[in-house]
Amino acid sequence: MSIRLICSDIADVMAFGDNYNDVSMLDIVGVPYIMDGSAAPLREKYPNHTPRPEDVLREFLRQN
């Protein structure tokens, strides 16, 4: 399923990645997160880090 079918603006999409194979996905979304255990160059490239995606999602849902 294309993300465009469920979201009209890719800037509103959050994605989580942990390795170099996720870079293309993380580069197109508005809110990319890299996992804390990822390679240092990835943690440097993406400012949002997390040990667990569920913590970020819980906080997002609490605020919205």
Side-chain angles (χ1 to χ4, degrees), residues 4-61:
R4 300 210 188 274
L5 294 175
I6 57 175
C7 182
S8 62
D9 191 350
I10 196 76
D12 294 332
V13 174
M14 182 184 298
F16 299 88
D18 65 351
N19 211 327
Y20 291 98
N21 64 316
D22 297 319
V23 167
S24 61
M25 169 186 67
L26 295 172
D27 283 347
I28 65 168
V29 299
V31 188
Y33 273 86
I34 196 73
M35 303 306 293
D36 284 349
S38 298
L42 293 173
R43 292 192 316 271
E44 292 170 12
K45 181 175 181 171
Y46 301 103
N48 299 319
H49 305 162
T50 186
R52 298 171 8 137
E54 55 266 35
D55 294 340
V56 174
L57 295 172
R58 185 180 302 109
E59 182 61 22
F60 173 79
L61 292 172

